[in-house]
Amino acid sequence: MKKGKTVEIADRPKICIATYTLRVGEVLRTQLEAFLGNRVEFEVHPLVSDVCCPIKGDLILVPGERWVGEVARVADRGTPILAIRRTLQRQGWEQVINLPSRTRAMLVNNEQEAAVETVALLYELGARHIQLTAVYPGSPVPNLGIAITPNEMQCVPSIVSKVVNIGDRVIDASTLLDIATRLQILDLDLSRTIAKHYQETVPRNPGLLAILDRLVATRKELELVLDLVQEGIITFDENERIKLFNKASEKLLKKEAWQSVGKTLWEVVPIFPLRTRDHVLDEVYSLGRNAFVVNKAWVEQDGKKTTGVITLRKTEEIQELDAKVRRALRRTGYIAKYSFEDIVGNSDAIRKCVTMAKSIARADGAVLICGESGTGKELFAQAIHNASARARYPFVAINCAALPDSLLESELFGYDEGAFTGAKKGGKPGLFEQAHCGTVFLDEIGDISPCLQAKLLRVLQEKEAMRVGGIGLVPVDVRIICATNKNLLEMVQQGLFRKDLYYRINVLPLTLPTLAQRIDDIPALVSHIMKRKGDERQVSPMVLDLFKRYRWPGNIRELENCIEYMMSMTDADLTVEDVPDYIAKSGMSDSCSNDQSGQNASIEPDVLSVLTKAYQMAQQGKSVGRRSIAAAMQADGIPITEARVRTCIKELSLADYVQVQKGRAGIRITAKGVHLVESVCPHLPHYHQ
């Protein structure tokens, strides 16, 4: 989590507090929440002998150094463990330090370990002028009249005449600073909070105050840091007089810092909208020949705007950086771009599939996605990764059918230096290593060789991978998502795929529907494809009807290719004339089958009207062409254009109801067309060709 970023609940780092009692854990949790607020999510884990579930989080806290080793055995691999250092409030400490020299007192606590730790803490802080005896329930009670206790009054023996309550031990400021640094949540407000806590407690790290003072108030170091930043940064006071002006600002604005500090912001950066005292976020302004992306924000104290900051960056620099990042991401392929919101469609088949995939995302087992080519297997794999607990970690995808065995093995498992001719110096980590804590997507899993199947099985079973030419095992923690368009169970029965591997990867199966099984989603998919390509043209309802009659053996990928073809064929709205012939003929063929069964509802009224008029004109011996048909229909009061007649004729031709002849010969009605008209309009005189 970066400094200054809005903290979303789902983005918060997680701290696990592992303690020997639930009460101690809740006390520590309450103290930490008082400092860290909603920046962090907390969980308390009591340490008991039968702990079997690993403790998972971004950071594990334990109440002392002796617990680090024990917790490491039940912690999720790679999770850092930090021992909490505790101290006393100054008010309680002053009561101890003011006791007469050589005072003998009992230190009373509710447990032996806590009592001994508190004695050690008092001596470490400097209370060496008194003699302390640890007293806890069940221990011998010495004959002493003074008792010191960290808020455990109920444990103080009745013989005691004077009780010094030093209050609960509190978390030391050095621990708070360590936590904030490790989780990358240290900002100016938290730094001030920790510094204030430091002043109110007895520090166990005497040098911490100097560190915090430098962090919050050292101007020189702040200037040095700002000069390393490539972004122009200008800070100013409540009167908008410039206080800091870094080197990047000098370069961008062509002005020296010594000339700018002390002047008003308006004198140095004459951008009118910046004169407002409101915040400005990612606005683009021109200054001279350059355009800048500008941010302006105020720091408020006690409801008053005391300090402000402006950041400047040239727009072309941002564009270059964006292009560089995109190139790098495309090159590595280690991100998942899609989520469940990117899956288009509302048919029962796809909704059921999405619901099942969301449930799979919440689990952490291996996933096997089955489906024909072009059904969106990688889209679902990325969505599952982004909805899982591993979303913050890499998503690494590889097509197992695209590489030969030797190259695929070195890509998956990596190799050591000298493993083969041409191997890089120092070796190369494999995809399993690079995807540690994330997800590996193995597309076309049915195409890997038996040798690689055995190595993959070891990764799944032992969570370890061995590089090509290596001698040591590398621990890996990845989730495997596999995809295939083959029937793996049949391959298992034929001895082409390992049975044990099949059941390892088929923990959470997901079968995607074909486009023919979700035909009602076609209008939404067409709209989505065109919008994604930035095309706002309309698609004729006849095209969508034709698409619904086609079987789409290539699924969504074929639909996407079809739309791209149609968009390149015309600059106007997409009509039936733009549909590829093989799709149009197949769709019309389905329509013809329906017609022969007496189901003429699939033929649009306009198309049937054009055929009927052509039939009548041919019966009368007139020339039958698109112009003459349009004119005749208009004379009959039917509002139809010549372009619409041409479209209808194409549909009739594709369905083999008419034949379009060369030149000015017009059209000829086929026997099939004659049969259709005479079956629909039996009152017309029969037509003889």
Side-chain angles (χ1 to χ4, degrees):
M1 182 180 302
K2 300 298 181 186
K3 177 175 150 184
K5 180 181 176 182
T6 302
V7 179
E8 301 289 347
I9 296 300
D11 292 336
R12 294 186 302 173
K14 180 179 176 183
I15 289 179
C16 297
I17 305 170
T19 62
Y20 41 84
T21 66
L22 185 60
R23 177 187 172 279
V24 173
E26 291 299 335
V27 168
L28 293 174
R29 175 181 186 158
T30 301
Q31 291 184 11
L32 287 168
E33 285 181 336
F35 293 105
L36 305 180
N38 67 348
R39 296 178 178 86
V40 177
E41 178 185 353
F42 295 95
E43 273 189 12
V44 176
H45 291 263
L47 293 174
V48 293
S49 58
D50 60 347
V51 170
C52 57
C53 296
I55 302 176
K56 295 183 179 181
D58 296 287
L59 179 64
I60 299 176
L61 301 180
V62 294
E65 290 289 347
R66 66 178 294 269
W67 294 97
V68 172
E70 182 173 340
V71 171
R73 290 195 292 271
V74 295
D76 195 33
R77 184 180 297 175
T79 304
I81 302 173
L82 175 65
I84 295 174
R85 296 177 292 276
R86 283 186 280 179
T87 186
L88 299 177
Q89 295 279 358
R90 286 193 179 275
Q91 184 178 1
W93 169 246
E94 288 171 359
Q95 296 182 66
V96 176
I97 207 68
N98 289 330
L99 290 173
S101 181
R102 298 184 181 179
T103 296
R104 298 181 62 211
M106 59 181 82
L107 191 288
V108 181
N109 214 324
N110 62 336
E111 293 179 346
Q112 178 182 4
E113 185 171 358
V116 173
E117 285 181 356
T118 308
V119 169
L121 174 61
L122 290 173
Y123 284 153
E124 180 185 340
L125 295 178
R128 300 184 180 277
H129 64 298
I130 58 177
Q131 298 179 22
L132 297 172
T133 301
V135 176
Y136 47 88
S139 70
V141 178
N143 188 19
L144 299 173
I146 300 178
I148 301 173
T149 181
N151 224 17
E152 298 290 348
M153 300 291 292
Q154 74 280 2
C155 299
V156 176
S158 58
I159 65 170
V160 172
S161 58
K162 179 179 179 181
V163 179
V164 177
N165 187 357
I166 58 177
D168 287 323
R169 289 180 293 167
V170 296
I171 298 174
D172 186 57
S174 61
T175 297
L176 294 173
L177 185 61
D178 202 350
I179 293 171
T181 303
R182 286 172 183 257
L183 298 182
Q184 299 182 2
I185 58 174
L186 186 64
D187 53 26
L188 189 59
D189 289 338
L190 185 54
S191 299
R192 287 174 175 149
T193 301
I194 296 174
K196 184 174 182 292
H197 179 64
Y198 184 96
Q199 299 287 353
E200 295 172 348
T201 57
V202 184
R204 295 183 65 175
N205 182 352
L208 181 62
L209 183 60
I211 296 173
L212 288 172
D213 285 345
R214 286 170 54 196
L215 181 65
V216 177
T218 303
R219 178 187 177 94
K220 185 60 179 176
E221 287 195 3
L222 180 59
E223 290 177 345
L224 291 174
V225 170
L226 292 181
D227 284 342
L228 295 175
V229 179
Q230 296 181 352
E231 198 170 27
I233 298 178
I234 304 170
T235 67
F236 46 90
D237 61 19
E238 63 272 17
N239 297 317
E240 298 198 349
R241 291 198 172 273
I242 295 174
K243 298 193 297 183
L244 290 176
F245 198 86
N246 73 342
K247 287 187 177 180
S249 298
E250 291 182 323
K251 181 180 178 181
L252 291 172
L253 298 175
K254 305 288 190 291
K255 296 182 180 180
E256 298 290 335
W258 66 270
Q259 295 175 321
S260 304
V261 173
K263 291 185 178 180
T264 62
L265 187 62
W266 173 248
E267 293 178 90
V268 178
V269 192
I271 298 175
F272 180 76
L274 295 182
R275 300 193 74 169
T276 176
R277 290 184 67 83
D278 296 331
H279 293 278
V280 173
L281 179 64
D282 291 335
E283 295 290 343
V284 179
Y285 299 119
S286 296
L287 189 60
R289 296 183 177 180
N290 297 315
F292 297 95
V293 176
V294 181
N295 289 275
K296 179 181 180 181
W298 286 92
V299 176
E300 295 188 10
Q301 290 183 335
D302 300 325
K304 182 181 178 182
K305 294 177 178 177
T306 57
T307 304
V309 61
I310 279 183
T311 64
L312 302 162
R313 192 152 197 181
K314 280 187 176 180
T315 53
E316 52 261 39
E317 289 181 4
I318 296 176
Q319 292 167 349
E320 290 173 6
L321 181 61
D322 178 69
K324 183 177 180 181
V325 170
R326 290 180 181 275
R327 286 195 300 270
L329 291 176
R330 282 197 299 269
R331 187 167 57 249
T332 61
Y334 292 173
I335 60 166
K337 299 181 293 183
Y338 301 110
S339 65
F340 286 117
E341 286 70 30
D342 295 306
I343 297 174
V344 178
N346 286 298
S347 64
D348 291 342
I350 198 65
R351 288 298 98 202
K352 181 180 178 181
C353 207
V354 169
T355 299
M356 185 178 296
K358 288 180 178 179
S359 299
I360 288 173
R362 291 193 290 269
D364 199 45
V367 183
L368 178 60
I369 304 176
C370 299
E372 294 183 6
S373 295
T375 51
K377 294 186 289 293
E378 183 164 358
L379 171 62
F380 269 85
Q382 293 191 23
I384 289 171
H385 170 80
N386 278 332
S388 73
R390 298 177 182 267
R392 292 182 296 164
Y393 299 100
F395 175 86
V396 180
I398 188 167
N399 189 315
C400 300
L403 300 174
D405 275 1
S406 57
L407 183 55
L408 180 60
E409 182 179 10
S410 65
E411 285 294 312
L412 287 174
F413 302 100
Y415 55 81
D416 275 354
E417 183 175 344
F420 50 82
T421 303
K424 289 183 180 179
K425 185 176 181 180
K428 176 186 174 184
L431 297 183
F432 285 115
E433 292 179 56
Q434 296 177 62
H436 186 61
C437 295
T439 302
V440 173
F441 175 58
L442 302 176
D443 199 6
E444 306 297 350
I445 187 68
D447 291 305
I448 66 172
S449 67
C451 178
L452 281 182
Q453 290 178 30
K455 294 196 71 171
L456 179 58
L457 183 63
R458 179 172 185 85
V459 173
L460 290 169
Q461 287 178 333
E462 308 297 335
K463 302 292 185 183
E464 294 173 333
M466 181 180 289
R467 293 185 179 184
V468 176
I471 57 174
L473 293 171
V474 180
V476 292
D477 174 21
V478 296
R479 185 185 197 182
I480 302 289
I481 300 180
C482 300
T484 183
N485 59 5
K486 298 182 177 181
N487 189 325
L488 292 187
L489 192 55
E490 284 187 4
M491 293 179 65
V492 168
Q493 294 168 351
Q494 296 167 6
L496 301 175
F497 199 86
R498 291 182 65 113
K499 184 177 181 180
D500 47 3
L501 178 59
Y502 172 74
Y503 288 110
R504 279 284 182 180
I505 64 176
N506 195 33
V507 178
L508 299 167
L510 179 68
T511 301
L512 303 188
T514 64
L515 184 54
Q517 292 171 323
R518 45 181 298 206
I519 210 76
D520 290 340
D521 290 333
I522 284 181
L525 287 167
V526 170
S527 175
H528 173 75
I529 292 169
M530 295 192 67
K531 185 181 296 184
R532 195 179 65 200
K533 295 179 180 297
D535 197 313
E536 297 181 355
R537 286 178 288 177
Q538 298 298 311
V539 179
S540 165
M542 288 187 296
V543 172
L544 298 177
D545 185 60
L546 193 61
F547 282 178
K548 288 182 178 181
R549 296 199 297 267
Y550 182 60
R551 304 310 298 166
W552 299 106
N555 295 294
I556 298 173
R557 189 177 295 123
E558 184 183 7
L559 175 63
E560 196 166 356
N561 293 342
C562 174
I563 294 297
E564 189 167 349
Y565 168 84
M566 294 174 67
M567 289 192 301
S568 64
M569 289 295 103
T570 180
D571 294 328
D573 291 342
L574 307 188
T575 66
V576 173
E577 290 188 348
D578 307 311
V579 176
D581 285 347
Y582 76 96
I583 293 178
K585 288 179 179 178
S586 176
M588 292 303 292
S589 174
D590 290 343
S591 175
C592 296
S593 299
N594 291 337
D595 294 338
Q596 290 171 357
S597 303
Q599 299 173 2
N600 298 319
S602 59
I603 301 180
E604 294 192 22
D606 280 1
V607 179
L608 190 57
S609 296
V610 169
L611 179 61
T612 304
K613 178 54 68 175
Y615 178 97
Q616 291 174 317
M617 293 172 67
Q619 184 75 346
Q620 297 166 5
K622 296 180 179 178
S623 173
V624 183
R626 65 173 183 271
R627 292 181 182 173
S628 58
I629 293 174
M633 293 180 72
Q634 290 168 4
D636 291 341
I638 301 174
I640 192 168
T641 64
E642 185 180 329
R644 175 61 181 147
V645 171
R646 181 175 56 190
T647 300
C648 294
I649 289 174
K650 179 171 182 180
E651 285 201 40
L652 292 167
S653 173
L654 290 171
D656 199 27
Y657 290 123
V658 301
Q659 288 181 351
V660 179
Q661 302 181 90
K662 294 182 179 180
R664 300 184 176 219
I667 64 172
R668 185 181 71 83
I669 303 174
T670 65
K672 185 177 177 181
V674 170
H675 174 72
L676 175 61
V677 174
E678 291 178 351
S679 64
V680 174
C681 307
H683 61 282
L684 293 176
H686 283 196
Y687 170 67
H688 300 286
Q689 300 189 41

